[in-house]
Amino acid sequence: MSALLLALLLVPLVGAAVCGVMARREDLDRAARAVGLGVAGVSLVLVVIIWSLFRTGPGTPRFQGELAVDWIPAFGTRFALGLDGIALTMIALLAVLVPIVLVFAAADKLPAGRTGAGFTALILATQGVLVGVFAATDVFLFYVLFEAMLIPMYFLIGRFGGPRRQYAAVKFFLYSFLGGLIMLASVIGLFVASDTRLGQGTFDWTALQGMAAQLPLSTQIPLFLGFFAAFAIKAPLVPFHTWLPDAGAEAPIAGSIILLGLLDKVGTFGFLRYTLPLFPAASQELAPLVLTLAVIGVLYGALLAAAQTDLKRFVAYTSIAHFGFIALGIFAFSSQSLTGSALYMVNHGISTAMLFLVVGLLIRRGGTADMTEYGGVGRAAPLLAGMFLVAGLSTIALPGTNSFVSEFLVLLGSFPREPAFTVVATVGIVFAALYMLWVFQRTMTGPLRGAAVVGDGPGAASAATLGADTGDDSWMRRTTARFGDLTRGEVALLTPLVALVLVLGFFPGPVLDVLEPTVAATMTEVGVPDPVTPPAPTNGVPR
């Protein structure tokens, strides 16, 4: 499995390099996109093979498919990779979403002077680095890749984004880079502590976990805060979130999917992989602070989402609320809440990707992200409206959709230990239903209105101009023809996400079985008694 894991990291990076070379010639754009899609397909096949080889159930090792070679021996640093259940599910999500965003982006109109080959190279580079981030078992390697993943995303936003792309890209980079520098101080602190206590400095995760857990609370807290600052910015938790709405709104749709669906998960993944196991005493001591920020994020994100008129900013603010739920489950310290949060990371990526895709398809037709320019879209494009509804219902965790299982597990597992925080967070579910249904009603139902609904954006002929108020039925046919419903290709693009929404809504067992051994190991490392008795693994049998 180690060879497959290494290939999974290198294949996208090699593909990015090839597409980067091809970006020098505009006539190679089509070929570069084909190369990118082929590379993404190979990565998906590798993930399927690795998933089939991954062992679940009691007695499985903390990491599987481990690979380690000396990198900087003088510093005790190794190029070390390995997979646990949480890392595997995130890499699998990455492998599923990258082909989808590449196909979607192929129809996008690029800014002047930009090439599709360059765009494809940046997406593949982001994929390769993210595989390394999730699979790294050397803390210094993780830090290097944590900072490196900012580079391709910075260029995705800054070169291919909207009118304020430069501002959004710089803000994204500075926030994340600053968080990484704070984390570096804690990484160095861990190395110094290992040298003192183990007789030799090391960045090996396993060695550090056994050592750091024995550090006094006065030492754990500052080390914890260094990691927490980086992960809270990346997640993002309120009040470290202000870069996200700008980045999400200005990035191209494909970039927004990677940013909110995957790259931001590095923050919550970091909580699970690093802050809890390495600093268990500090995690417990500071849990009330984190839970307070999480619950504030749930309510604040929901209220701000309801106030948006820009569709992309709306999706970004809904994500802030969802990250609050994930953080709540992590710092409630129960097997059910941790499992729910890990599953929530996957399900949020699916739901957000679908919602962004539908928003992107709407913007292509209407020419604007301003939701006030839309109304009655369901009459002109019923398939598009239906997909918007499915994505919206998944986002608000309707029973039967993927997000319901994870949100239910978070609330069920959090209540025994943190009833007050759980009850307050539950109010956010009500707000989520209100803002999502309000946006759907405003844009998709009712009479046709707004210039964009006929397909040419602001300034186009309105429904009334076409004959809506004159008794002429032909205006609806002309509007539908100009605005356009989903094509067969667009339906095919969305179908895998719809299938995942439904399959994981009814049969989450195979994913939960992969997650539960890692959650059990994390609970043991934290050393907190589980307030909820976890269910027995099903070994792949649907629950």
Side-chain angles (χ1 to χ4, degrees):
M1 190 190 297
S2 58
L4 294 172
L5 179 57
L6 182 61
L8 190 58
L9 183 146
L10 293 179
V11 165
L13 295 179
V14 173
V18 171
C19 291
V21 172
M22 298 173 76
R24 298 178 180 180
R25 293 177 50 182
E26 291 189 12
D27 60 319
L28 294 179
D29 256 18
R30 185 182 296 273
R33 291 186 185 275
V35 168
L37 196 57
V39 168
V42 170
S43 296
L44 182 58
V45 171
L46 288 173
V47 165
V48 171
I49 297 173
I50 291 173
W51 189 287
S52 67
L53 297 175
F54 193 83
R55 290 179 293 154
T56 61
T60 55
R62 185 66 164 82
F63 298 107
Q64 299 181 41
E66 289 189 90
L67 167 72
V69 295
D70 287 339
W71 181 22
I72 312 176
F75 295 152
T77 301
R78 299 183 305 164
F79 183 84
L81 304 176
L83 289 175
D84 63 10
I86 298 173
L88 178 58
T89 55
M90 294 310 302
I91 291 173
L93 175 65
L94 178 66
V96 169
L97 292 186
V98 166
I100 293 174
V101 301
L102 288 176
V103 172
F104 177 86
D108 276 345
K109 182 179 180 181
L110 299 175
R114 309 293 185 252
T115 64
F119 183 90
T120 303
L122 291 172
I123 292 290
L124 293 178
T126 305
Q127 180 181 14
V129 176
L130 280 174
V131 170
V133 168
F134 292 126
T137 57
D138 181 278
V139 177
F140 187 75
L141 175 63
F142 170 79
Y143 165 74
V144 171
L145 295 174
F146 181 89
E147 296 286 45
M149 70 181 178
L150 305 180
I151 299 172
M153 184 54 64
Y154 169 82
F155 286 108
L156 276 172
I157 300 171
R159 292 178 63 85
F160 296 92
R164 299 176 71 243
R165 57 182 178 268
Q166 293 296 335
Y167 168 78
V170 170
K171 190 174 182 180
F172 156 77
F173 186 87
L174 290 179
Y175 267 70
S176 299
F177 186 68
L178 175 61
L181 289 179
I182 297 172
M183 180 172 69
L184 177 60
S186 288
V187 171
I188 295 172
L190 273 176
F191 181 82
V192 172
S194 68
D195 186 50
T196 301
R197 288 181 167 259
L198 302 177
Q200 181 179 5
T202 181
F203 290 105
D204 180 72
W205 186 93
T206 302
L208 288 176
Q209 194 280 318
M211 180 277 301
Q214 305 303 318
L215 293 174
L217 182 61
S218 59
T219 302
Q220 283 195 34
I221 286 180
L223 294 176
F224 169 93
L225 290 175
F227 280 87
F228 176 78
F231 299 148
I233 290 172
K234 185 60 63 187
L237 296 182
V238 174
F240 310 103
H241 69 285
T242 57
W243 62 270
L244 180 61
D246 292 313
E250 296 303 322
I253 290 293
S256 296
I257 291 172
I258 298 297
L259 177 64
L260 276 79
L262 289 158
L263 193 141
D264 284 359
K265 302 300 189 308
V266 173
T268 49
F269 172 83
F271 290 150
L272 290 164
R273 170 69 68 82
Y274 294 96
T275 56
L276 267 62
L278 295 183
F279 316 111
S283 297
Q284 296 171 52
E285 182 72 17
L286 298 177
L289 171 63
V290 182
L291 291 169
T292 300
L293 296 180
V295 170
I296 291 174
V298 170
L299 301 180
Y300 179 83
L303 293 174
L304 266 291
Q308 300 306 306
T309 57
D310 183 285
L311 285 166
K312 294 174 72 177
R313 293 181 74 89
F314 165 75
V315 179
Y317 275 109
T318 66
S319 293
I320 292 173
H322 293 143
F323 278 111
F325 269 109
I326 296 172
L328 169 66
I330 292 173
F331 284 89
F333 302 124
S334 81
S335 58
Q336 284 188 338
S337 66
L338 284 175
T339 302
S341 290
L343 183 61
Y344 211 139
M345 290 160 59
V346 177
N347 286 333
H348 174 263
I350 295 169
S351 302
T352 299
M354 186 174 179
L355 192 57
F356 259 124
L357 284 175
V358 174
V359 166
L361 294 171
L362 183 62
I363 292 172
R364 277 184 187 172
R365 288 158 169 76
T368 178
D370 185 356
M371 68 176 70
T372 63
E373 292 289 339
Y374 298 96
V377 171
R379 301 182 68 186
L383 283 176
L384 178 60
M387 290 295 186
F388 192 105
L389 181 61
V390 172
L393 294 178
S394 173
T395 299
I396 65 175
L398 183 78
T401 64
N402 58 329
S403 298
F404 172 76
V405 179
S406 46
E407 194 167 280
F408 180 75
L409 284 173
V410 167
L411 296 175
L412 187 66
S414 299
F415 185 80
R417 179 164 277 130
E418 303 292 348
F421 287 111
T422 306
V423 170
V424 175
T426 305
V427 177
I429 299 176
V430 179
F431 288 162
L434 291 175
Y435 65 63
M436 186 58 68
L437 295 177
W438 175 77
V439 169
F440 180 83
Q441 183 182 40
R442 186 176 185 180
T443 57
M444 300 292 159
T445 65
L448 279 160
R449 66 177 186 276
V453 79
V454 297
D456 291 333
S462 66
T465 304
L466 291 176
D469 296 331
T470 63
D472 181 5
D473 292 340
S474 64
W475 73 273
M476 172 58 81
R477 293 191 296 271
R478 292 196 298 272
T479 297
T480 302
R482 296 182 67 187
F483 190 79
D485 205 350
L486 295 181
T487 65
R488 291 181 179 178
E490 290 167 342
V491 171
L493 184 67
L494 291 167
T495 296
L497 296 178
V498 174
L500 286 173
V501 165
L502 297 177
V503 170
L504 292 179
F506 287 96
F507 305 107
V511 179
L512 292 175
D513 288 337
V514 170
L515 293 172
E516 283 170 351
T518 304
V519 169
T522 303
M523 288 292 295
T524 300
E525 291 153 359
V526 175
V528 178
D530 194 349
V532 181
T533 302
T538 63
N539 296 320
V541 179
R543 296 169 188 259

